[in-house]
Amino acid sequence: MKALITGITGQDGYFLTQLLLSKGYEVYGVVRRNSARNLGTLQLLPEELRKEVGLLEGDVTDAAFVDRAVSQVKPDELYHLAAQSFVAYSFANPSSTYDINIGGTLNVVNAIRDSSPRTKLYFAGTSELFGKPEAVPQNESTPFRPRSPYGVSKLAGFWTVKVYREAYNVFASNGILFNHESEVRGPEFVTRKISLGVARIAKGSSEPLVLGNLSAVKDWGYAKDYVEGMWAMLQQEKPDDFVLGTGEAHTVREFATEAFRVAGIEIRWEGEGLNEVGVSGDGRVLVRVSKEFFRPLEADNFLADYSKARKVLGWRPKTSFKELVRIMVESDMKRGAKGAGVPRCPGGEVGHRPSGSQAGPQGKPRGHSRPPEALEAPIYGHQGLRRASGRVQACPVRKLRAPRVRGLPQGAGRDVGAEWEGVLPGEDKRRAEGRALLQGLPRPSPQRKGGYSGSTSRRGSSPIWRRR
Ligand code: NAP
Ligand code: GDD
């Protein structure tokens, strides 16, 4: 079985790749070029798994690329996870959010319809579709009332998938997934921001964690459980839409309280609104609230009714709320202990956001494309950031990335280098394989020496890259 994953470098891509490889799938993933040439969460996979993944370098907003990728790989299953997935960011960047989340999805369904109609599609829909829900809990029949540009874009994706299912008989299923988190969650999301902040404070930092709406209610599960549900949706006889969640809701405040508890710190909450603080037993203020992390509109009161998934897919969440928080906090505390838990700039200064800094409003990062929450993070696969004089600055994160291989680009595997025919100077072998696949070139080979020297002319007759 062959699977193609867009968004493979994100949180869900990390767990889905492992699940599919463990089931014997041939896995291909779309990776975007970025200036750091890193591979996001793929870099966190063990080397023996990482080298199994075929990489296709491109962007889902590029119809020609998506078309080529789908028609060449002809996957049995396509998991379309790629998205601008940060809700707060979508308020400041609605247009690019729509381009990626709507345009990208359209490119995927068109490519399947036109080039690989037997491919089964999973679309990453979201509980954000419910917005401020009319009913609690929410299931597949609850009306959608999105309350962010992100939610609107996902609603368009959801309906696009349904229309293609009915109009063209494409096997396309929508997951309506409630928040799912993990130790590889992006640092801008509140749960990871909290686990990182708690780890930092437990290591002795006196900077409080600064959050937004502590009363927001979410249904949080563990991402590893949810990718099993995605896979199960594509094993059904008919495409359909499914809610996945836990059926248990908590506030951001509760998540923070539990996270500090895992680190052995009991906190109590005092004050209200913007003046609310989380205080330790010895009177230290460990959590503050800032309006910069509030959104123009809040979607909350989420609670999943996943009874359809339980009945039809046999799916249920395996990880409890407390277990999830423990996994995340312990992971960040361990990373911190290894010196990689807190971003440091070359001079050794910590890259988290100082309290009272001049940060831009949430979703409106200044001077850098990452949102201000990223400042809290030990960042895998992203530029580390630090603030100086009220400006966000990038600082090198060499220590946080996977080890480099003899001067080759970040993310490169061991079997890389110009001695491979078909690998351009400075190119990672797996990227070269993906490029060869898309360009109809023969697969890079270790037997024949000498690179292409930049030539992209077609060699050999087979347009299909065969894996070993
Ligand atoms: P994530 O960590 O933010 O990952 C998003 C992925 O999309 C990354 O691999 C990113 O690549 C890729 N991407 C973004 N724009 C792209 C583009 N133009 N072309 C190609 N790739 C692009 O998100 P996640 O948490 O894994 O979520 C996966 C999907 O599920 C998303 O669609 C999200 O909206 C949806 N979802 C998530 C949750 C949740 O709680 N996690 C709940 C419901 C739905 P880079 O690494 O290059 O940025
Ligand atoms: N990010 C962030 N940072 N959120 C905060 C903060 C903060 O400092 N303080 C409070 N919050 C609140 C937000 O207002 C929101 O209500 C909640 O914490 C969760 O925010 P995020 O972790 O950013 O996630 P999200 O719920 O907006 O979106 C995630 O879940 C969706 C599913 O419902 C993303 O993964 C989306 O892609 C996904 O669709």
Side-chain angles (χ1 to χ4, degrees):
M1 291 284 276
K2 269 193 282 190
L4 175 59
I5 304 176
T6 70
I8 196 167
T9 56
Q11 170 188 261
D12 291 2
Y14 173 81
F15 290 106
L16 184 62
T17 299
Q18 293 177 76
L19 178 75
L20 296 179
L21 288 175
S22 76
K23 289 182 183 296
Y25 278 62
E26 211 172 286
V27 176
Y28 297 81
V30 172
V31 297
R32 284 197 286 186
R33 185 197 167 272
N34 57 36
S35 57
R37 294 194 64 79
N38 59 36
L39 292 173
T41 58
L42 265 179
Q43 288 180 185
L44 303 176
L45 285 178
E47 173 67 20
E48 68 272 16
L49 292 185
R50 215 173 7 165
K51 72 182 184 201
E52 289 298 312
V53 180
L55 300 183
L56 306 177
E57 200 168 47
D59 193 297
V60 295
T61 58
D62 186 330
F65 161 75
V66 175
D67 222 34
R68 189 119 176 101
V70 171
S71 63
Q72 293 287 24
V73 176
K74 286 218 170 15
D76 298 289
E77 296 171 8
L78 195 161
Y79 295 85
H80 179 41
L81 309 181
Q84 190 305 96
S85 74
F86 188 34
V87 174
Y89 189 80
S90 77
F91 283 100
N93 299 274
S95 187
S96 63
T97 301
Y98 286 7
D99 287 349
I100 297 170
N101 297 3
I102 304 176
T105 303
L106 198 56
N107 290 338
V108 167
V109 290
N110 280 336
I112 290 178
R113 181 197 58 191
D114 298 341
S115 310
S116 186
R118 293 165 73 94
T119 295
K120 293 179 170 183
L121 171 69
Y122 169 81
F123 174 69
T126 164
S127 48
E128 279 287 309
L129 299 179
F130 298 123
K132 210 162 184 64
E134 275 178 14
V136 181
Q138 298 87 41
N139 61 28
E140 295 79 4
S141 320
T142 308
F144 296 138
R145 299 164 61 188
R147 279 168 71 85
S148 65
Y150 168 81
V152 171
S153 72
K154 285 288 184 175
L155 186 58
F158 178 93
W159 280 108
T160 301
V161 162
K162 263 175 114 74
V163 165
Y164 274 59
R165 181 197 299 167
E166 288 167 27
Y168 306 114
N169 211 19
V170 173
F171 187 114
S173 289
N174 284 303
I176 306 171
L177 271 51
F178 283 65
N179 297 51
H180 45 280
E181 319 294 314
S182 72
E183 63 277 28
V184 300
R185 182 61 143 152
E188 63 272 44
F189 299 97
V190 75
T191 55
R192 187 77 195 287
K193 183 176 170 182
I194 292 171
S195 66
L196 290 166
V198 167
R200 169 171 58 73
I201 288 167
K203 293 265 157 235
S205 167
S206 55
E207 291 290 346
L209 176 61
V210 185
L211 297 173
N213 182 2
L214 294 172
S215 302
V217 175
K218 299 286 173 182
D219 178 320
W220 278 297
Y222 186 33
K224 192 174 179 193
D225 299 342
Y226 288 57
V227 298
E228 290 179 2
M230 296 177 189
W231 176 80
M233 286 180 212
L234 298 197
Q235 312 315 308
Q236 302 306 301
E237 280 188 8
K238 283 192 289 186
D240 205 345
D241 307 324
F242 294 94
V243 160
L244 302 184
T246 68
E248 192 180 312
H250 294 273
T251 60
V252 171
R253 190 183 294 102
E254 285 164 352
F255 193 102
T257 307
E258 185 58 30
F260 276 106
R261 191 167 290 146
V262 171
I265 303 169
E266 288 295 327
I267 56 170
R268 59 177 194 278
W269 297 94
E270 293 175 359
E272 274 180 26
L274 292 177
N275 296 320
E276 184 167 358
V277 286
V279 184
S280 64
D282 57 4
R284 283 177 300 146
V285 173
L286 303 185
V287 185
R288 285 192 191 284
V289 176
S290 167
K291 65 172 185 254
E292 93 191 51
F293 297 119
F294 281 75
R295 294 166 186 187
L297 271 181
E298 183 68 276
D300 75 345
N301 214 8
F302 285 169
L303 186 68
D305 166 9
Y306 65 91
S307 47
K308 178 175 168 186
R310 191 175 52 216
K311 200 166 141 207
V312 179
L313 308 178
W315 181 88
R316 56 172 55 242
K318 296 175 185 154
T319 312
S320 70
F321 174 73
K322 283 192 172 186
E323 184 66 3
L324 168 69
V325 181
R326 191 189 59 72
I327 291 169
M328 293 182 70
V329 173
E330 287 185 352
S331 165
D332 282 328
M333 289 182 63
K334 265 191 219 137
R335 287 181 206 206
K338 284 186 199 149
V342 182
R344 287 178 190 279
C345 297
E349 67 271 40
V350 173
H352 65 78
R353 187 169 52 79
S355 61
S357 67
Q358 303 302 304
Q362 188 184 24
K364 292 183 185 166
R366 288 188 193 144
H368 199 282
S369 59
R370 296 297 293 176
E373 279 129 318
L375 294 169
E376 294 284 344
I379 299 165
Y380 59 84
H382 295 299
Q383 286 278 335
L385 302 176
R386 76 184 167 97
R387 181 177 305 283
S389 320
R391 275 179 48 232
V392 177
Q393 296 186 334
C395 57
V397 286
R398 248 165 285 144
K399 277 187 188 166
L400 306 180
R401 296 193 190 131
R404 291 178 76 105
V405 182
R406 285 196 296 144
L408 289 163
Q410 199 58 48
R414 230 169 248 123
D415 47 359
V416 263
E419 72 270 20
W420 282 64
E421 173 152 339
V423 178
L424 296 172
E427 191 177 41
D428 164 335
K429 178 181 150 267
R430 282 160 304 130
R431 285 178 195 264
E433 286 175 332
R435 184 176 48 73
L437 173 68
L438 294 177
Q439 294 177 344
L441 296 165
R443 193 169 177 229
S445 146
Q447 277 91 36
R448 293 161 294 167
K449 305 268 178 191
Y452 284 156
S453 341
S455 161
T456 54
S457 65
R458 191 185 167 111
R459 296 180 182 199
S461 55
S462 169
I464 308 291
W465 165 41
R466 281 183 240 287
R467 292 170 61 97
R468 274 179 289 206

